[in-house]
Amino acid sequence: MKSMRILVKIFFLLCIPVLVTAQKQEQIDSMRVVLKNAMNDTTRMDACLKLGAYYDDVNLDSSLYYDEKGIVFAKQLRLNLNRAQMLTHMSWPLVKMGNYPRSLKVLNEALEIAGDPINEKNTWHLLQGQTPRSYRIDLLGNVHSAFDYLYGSTGNYGKQITEAYEAMRLFESVKDTLFQAYAYSDIGNAYLKLNKFDSALYFEHKALSYYSVIPFKDRKFDAAYLYIGEIYQQMGNIDLARENFEKAIRVSEQQNNPTKQGDAHLQLANLLQSLSKTDSSLFHAKKALEAFNMVGNEKSKAVAYRMISDCYRNQNKADSSFIYLRLATVLNDSLGKIEKEKIQEFQVAGFNEALRLQELEKEKIQTQNKTRTYTMLAGLGVFLVIGIILYGNNRQKQKTNKVLETTLTNLKATQSQLIQSEKMASLGELTAGIAHEIQNPLNFVNNFSEVNKELLFEMNEEIQKENYDEVKIIAKDVTDNEVKINHHGKRADAIVKGMLQHSQSSTGVKEATDINALADEYLRISYYGLSAKDKDFNAEIKTDFDNSIEKMNIIPQDIGRVLLNLYNNAFYAVNKKKKAAGAGYEPTVTVSTEKKVNRISMSVRDNGNGIPENIVDKIFQPFFTTKPTGQGTGLGLSLSYDIIKAHGGEIKVNTRDGEFTEFIIQLPA
């Protein structure tokens, strides 16, 4: 009797994946019925959203079909955030199919929608406890996650990590634990591709710790075990690699995720082949091919064909080996051409943007050089005027003294201009960071211009057909797109004006300012500026802002310069240490604010090499710098000290040689 109960229990456990799959299939069938028979477009849109998400790892063509259909419904209903959600979904199958340019285009459109708070006004079907704002922020995080996947798929792992960190910051702000886990896993995978195995392992285990608090039924894209297996295989730990690949197979089967299931079988087949276990390797390679056939992932099918061919060759089955080798070769030849064309299109778009930024940087340097030349000539002109006046009026002592007094005032003004030019030595980082902000509106202007070109061609066709109702609809779409082009053109114009404002002297007028927003804005500007100058630059950013701080009366332009200087110094320190220390060191910059009694405290801390004890007392002196010649003016900290003092505050430094540096700013509350 006892043995019978055990057999029944085992049978039930074996049937669970089948029952789960059957239940999911039943849900999908019901969604198709809803899509066909629904009484309104909102219900049809929701069905398309769910079907598109389901088929993402089951059938890429079907996923794309339902996403495009849902976008049409969302556009008709003017549900912009739902349209952005489906555009984001749409980017995933496009990447898997190798269509990188189109994926980039739909993500830029989704980013424009999700980044605009005005779209919170019209939302539908919010989850319990979700507000229109939290829904939009969560969606914005998903857009950056999709960018992270796109950059990772095209081999740009530095940008992948940057996008994943931005996604994780947004998910953390709305307490989305599941997508934080995805972001950690993506960062780990990027470090794996960069052969930084310790960092990769850390982030994958971090992802697992987040997954552990999430119901299993909600974890559709859990790939942490697969990546951990790859990491251990690269590190030579075969037993742990195999154990994690087998876990990945079990998890993907339970989640009914054939893409991840195929990937896990293929990795295990590769591992077993390296151990000369040909029969087992062949079994898992065929299981991988079976999974990829379900999805229609041609690139992965080609890899599976090649693996099966190698296994048959090791078994001395030449005919079978040749058959699968031919299948792999044919598929690779067809895919290789398409893949190269898509990647080339994607890289050309990025290259053109880099050239544009390079031209802007060149123009900026030329403008700076002209300004300095004109300033020097003005100074020489002043001295020449002094000589002429002294020579022509040497007998009129009283008049000469008056002229000298005027000239001295002019010289002081010239000196102030020279000091101001030195203050702008860091304008390169500022411009590069703001150029990153300009890129998005320019992308939107280009995209909508292309769409209008196609619409106008279509309008001409309809005019010839005398279909004037359709002409009116197309004309309205063109007008709407022109409004968007105008809007984003003004956005770019505002950013450029803001950049020029940063380069001018302070007005000296205090304004009610959100100190947390100011700190966060200049942190991003500094980070993107250094990233643009050094493609290998990367650092972890941690923020801890006290949200109880109210707006403060400060001169935001001046405090912004202080923060930019401290951030640049911090990133310079960790980047310098990273190049010397190597893979074992994780560069980190931490920024925090805190409300205290009668004052506000701001901290910028880095884990760089610190400041030697014998020069700590000199760092606030004018023209003192430890940077190589040409890389620092020695005025940054001196000017920062003066600005903070002018605000009635103080700035001090805590440091330990070889370990860290922390600058603390205290301002009156």
Side-chain angles (χ1 to χ4, degrees):
M1 189 67 177
K2 182 177 180 182
S3 61
M4 180 59 71
R5 285 199 300 269
I6 293 172
L7 287 173
V8 171
K9 185 180 291 186
I10 291 172
F11 174 77
F12 179 74
L13 290 172
L14 289 172
C15 287
I16 285 177
V18 177
L19 292 171
V20 171
T21 302
Q23 186 179 13
K24 283 191 175 181
Q25 187 59 49
E26 184 179 340
Q27 292 172 349
I28 294 306
D29 291 340
S30 68
M31 281 295 103
R32 291 199 191 96
V33 172
V34 168
L35 181 59
K36 184 177 180 181
N37 301 319
M39 300 297 292
N40 56 69
D41 284 346
T42 52
T43 306
R44 293 189 186 95
M45 180 192 70
D46 189 49
C48 287
L49 180 64
K50 291 173 181 174
L51 287 166
Y54 169 77
Y55 279 113
D56 181 42
D57 273 311
V58 178
N59 186 300
L60 299 177
D61 289 329
S62 296
S63 178
L64 207 56
Y65 169 79
Y66 286 114
D67 284 334
E68 288 176 331
K69 200 173 184 68
I71 288 167
V72 173
F73 288 130
K75 194 171 183 179
Q76 290 172 349
L77 295 165
R78 301 187 184 278
L79 293 171
N80 290 335
L81 292 180
N82 293 93
R83 179 157 61 97
Q85 185 177 7
M86 278 176 285
L87 285 166
T88 306
H89 278 177
M90 186 177 174
S91 73
W92 293 81
L94 285 171
V95 170
K96 292 170 187 174
M97 296 165 81
N99 197 339
Y100 307 124
R102 191 179 176 198
S103 177
L104 181 64
K105 184 176 180 179
V106 299
L107 282 178
N108 277 328
E109 188 176 348
L111 183 64
E112 181 211 3
I113 297 169
D116 192 346
I118 198 171
N119 290 316
E120 296 171 9
K121 293 181 179 179
N122 193 13
T123 55
W124 177 79
H125 200 55
L126 297 176
L127 300 176
Q128 184 177 2
Q130 198 173 44
T131 65
R133 182 182 183 280
S134 65
Y135 169 51
R136 184 182 65 81
I137 296 300
D138 199 44
L139 173 58
L140 193 58
N142 273 283
V143 176
H144 283 285
S145 262
F147 270 114
D148 132 34
Y149 181 61
L150 172 60
Y151 285 124
S153 299
T154 53
N156 194 335
Y157 304 118
K159 277 198 171 183
Q160 181 185 15
I161 292 171
T162 300
E163 292 292 341
Y165 267 117
E166 179 63 14
M168 187 161 52
R169 183 184 70 81
L170 293 165
F171 293 140
E172 185 179 5
S173 70
V174 293
K175 310 300 181 188
D176 191 334
T177 306
L178 176 61
F179 281 92
Q180 280 182 264
Y182 294 156
Y184 275 119
S185 187
D186 284 352
I187 293 171
N189 187 35
Y191 278 122
L192 167 61
K193 296 299 189 296
L194 294 169
N195 295 321
K196 297 180 179 181
F197 303 127
D198 291 336
S199 298
L201 202 57
Y202 167 79
F203 282 104
E204 294 303 338
H205 281 297
K206 191 87 171 173
L208 283 180
S209 70
Y210 275 76
Y211 281 130
S212 65
V213 299
I214 300 166
F216 187 82
K217 63 182 178 64
D218 296 330
R219 293 157 54 181
K220 181 182 176 186
F221 305 104
D222 185 350
Y225 287 121
L226 178 62
Y227 297 147
I228 291 172
E230 290 186 58
I231 295 166
Y232 280 128
Q233 184 175 359
Q234 293 290 333
M235 295 173 72
N237 194 329
I238 303 302
D239 292 337
L240 283 176
R242 182 169 184 172
E243 177 185 328
N244 280 280
F245 287 145
E246 289 171 349
K247 284 181 181 178
I249 291 171
R250 289 197 299 272
V251 169
S252 58
E253 286 176 347
Q254 292 165 353
Q255 293 174 342
N256 190 29
N257 191 326
T259 295
K260 292 295 184 288
Q261 185 179 340
D263 290 339
H265 276 295
L266 198 60
Q267 287 293 342
L268 185 53
N270 177 270
L271 177 65
L272 291 169
Q273 188 183 51
S274 70
L275 299 174
S276 300
K277 296 183 178 182
T278 305
D279 292 341
S280 298
S281 177
L282 181 60
F283 170 79
H284 286 286
K286 286 187 174 181
K287 294 292 282 186
L289 181 59
E290 181 183 326
F292 295 141
N293 277 328
M294 291 174 60
V295 183
N297 191 328
E298 300 299 305
K299 186 194 293 188
S300 298
K301 279 171 62 177
V303 179
Y305 282 141
R306 185 56 188 261
M307 179 70 70
I308 294 171
S309 172
D310 290 344
C311 290
Y312 277 129
R313 185 188 63 205
N314 293 337
Q315 291 179 341
N316 296 318
K317 296 180 179 179
D319 291 342
S320 298
S321 177
F322 178 73
I323 289 170
Y324 282 97
L325 180 60
R326 185 171 61 183
L327 288 170
T329 303
V330 171
L331 202 53
N332 272 326
D333 287 344
S334 63
L335 286 173
K337 183 179 179 182
I338 296 171
E339 185 81 0
K340 287 176 183 177
E341 288 175 354
K342 297 301 182 184
I343 290 179
Q344 187 177 19
E345 286 181 42
F346 184 73
Q347 289 175 338
V348 165
F351 179 70
N352 288 337
E353 180 61 16
L355 282 178
R356 189 184 66 80
L357 292 175
Q358 185 178 352
E359 287 300 318
L360 286 175
E361 180 70 15
K362 186 177 178 181
E363 289 176 10
K364 175 189 73 76
I365 292 172
Q366 290 175 345
T367 301
Q368 284 182 333
N369 290 338
K370 286 180 180 178
T371 300
R372 289 171 180 165
T373 301
Y374 292 152
T375 302
M376 291 177 62
L377 289 173
L380 290 173
V382 169
F383 283 115
L384 183 61
V385 169
I386 293 172
I388 294 172
I389 292 173
L390 288 173
Y391 179 78
N393 300 282
N394 59 351
R395 295 182 181 180
Q396 302 175 24
K397 186 175 181 180
Q398 188 175 4
K399 185 177 179 180
T400 301
N401 287 338
K402 186 176 181 181
V403 171
L404 284 173
E405 183 178 350
T406 303
T407 303
L408 182 60
T409 302
N410 291 336
L411 283 173
K412 287 181 178 179
T414 303
Q415 183 184 31
S416 297
Q417 290 176 0
L418 290 171
I419 292 175
Q420 185 65 18
S421 295
E422 291 297 329
K423 287 182 183 179
M424 295 299 99
S426 63
L427 190 58
E429 287 84 2
L430 187 67
T431 305
I434 294 175
H436 178 273
E437 300 293 327
I438 295 175
Q439 181 178 355
N440 285 336
L442 289 182
N443 282 341
F444 297 136
V445 169
N446 292 336
N447 289 343
F448 284 121
S449 296
E450 286 295 324
V451 171
N452 273 3
K453 182 179 178 182
E454 296 173 5
L455 288 173
L456 290 172
F457 180 80
E458 186 179 338
M459 183 189 289
N460 285 331
E461 291 182 344
E462 297 299 335
I463 290 172
Q464 291 175 4
K465 297 175 185 178
E466 296 185 355
N467 188 354
Y468 295 111
D469 288 338
E470 188 64 27
V471 169
K472 290 177 181 178
I473 293 172
I474 295 173
K476 185 181 183 303
D477 287 341
V478 171
T479 303
D480 291 343
N481 287 347
E482 286 298 319
V483 171
K484 293 176 182 177
I485 290 171
N486 181 262
H487 168 71
H488 291 292
K490 288 180 179 178
R491 277 184 61 197
D493 180 62
I495 293 169
V496 171
K497 286 179 180 176
M499 180 179 69
L500 294 174
Q501 206 172 34
H502 283 301
S503 68
Q504 295 170 355
S505 299
S506 167
T507 60
V509 178
K510 290 187 176 182
E511 302 173 15
T513 304
D514 184 339
I515 198 72
N516 290 335
L518 188 72
D520 188 64
E521 175 193 358
Y522 277 87
L523 182 60
R524 288 187 295 105
I525 289 173
S526 176
Y527 183 86
Y528 288 129
L530 292 175
S531 297
K533 290 176 65 178
D534 185 356
K535 299 301 181 185
D536 295 327
F537 170 76
N538 185 51
E540 182 178 3
I541 298 173
K542 296 181 179 179
T543 58
D544 183 16
F545 295 138
D546 187 347
N547 292 325
S548 67
I549 299 175
E550 299 174 351
K551 288 188 176 182
M552 302 174 57
N553 278 327
I554 59 172
I555 304 173
Q557 196 173 9
D558 286 354
I559 298 298
R561 284 174 180 162
V562 173
L563 291 171
L564 184 65
N565 180 262
L566 297 182
Y567 294 153
N568 287 345
N569 288 346
F571 286 129
Y572 175 89
V574 297
N575 194 31
K576 181 179 179 182
K577 186 172 181 179
K578 175 68 176 177
K579 290 177 180 178
Y585 167 72
E586 292 295 332
T588 305
V589 173
T590 304
V591 180
S592 63
T593 60
E594 183 181 1
K595 184 177 182 180
K596 297 183 178 180
V597 179
N598 297 327
R599 69 184 189 278
I600 301 300
S601 178
M602 305 173 65
S603 167
V604 180
R605 181 187 178 101
D606 67 74
N607 63 343
N609 286 319
I611 303 173
E613 186 176 351
N614 62 329
I615 65 170
V616 170
D617 294 334
K618 302 177 182 178
I619 61 173
F620 292 108
Q621 295 177 6
F623 304 106
F624 178 83
T625 181
T626 59
K627 294 179 182 177
T629 303
Q631 294 189 26
T633 63
L635 283 172
L637 287 177
S638 172
L639 293 172
S640 297
Y641 181 90
D642 292 341
I643 289 170
I644 298 301
K645 281 293 183 184
H647 279 75
E650 61 177 346
I651 180 171
K652 56 185 179 180
V653 61
N654 291 330
T655 185
R656 187 174 299 159
D657 196 6
E659 294 184 21
F660 74 93
T661 299
E662 180 181 29
F663 283 90
I664 300 169
I665 299 171
Q666 292 188 341
L667 296 171

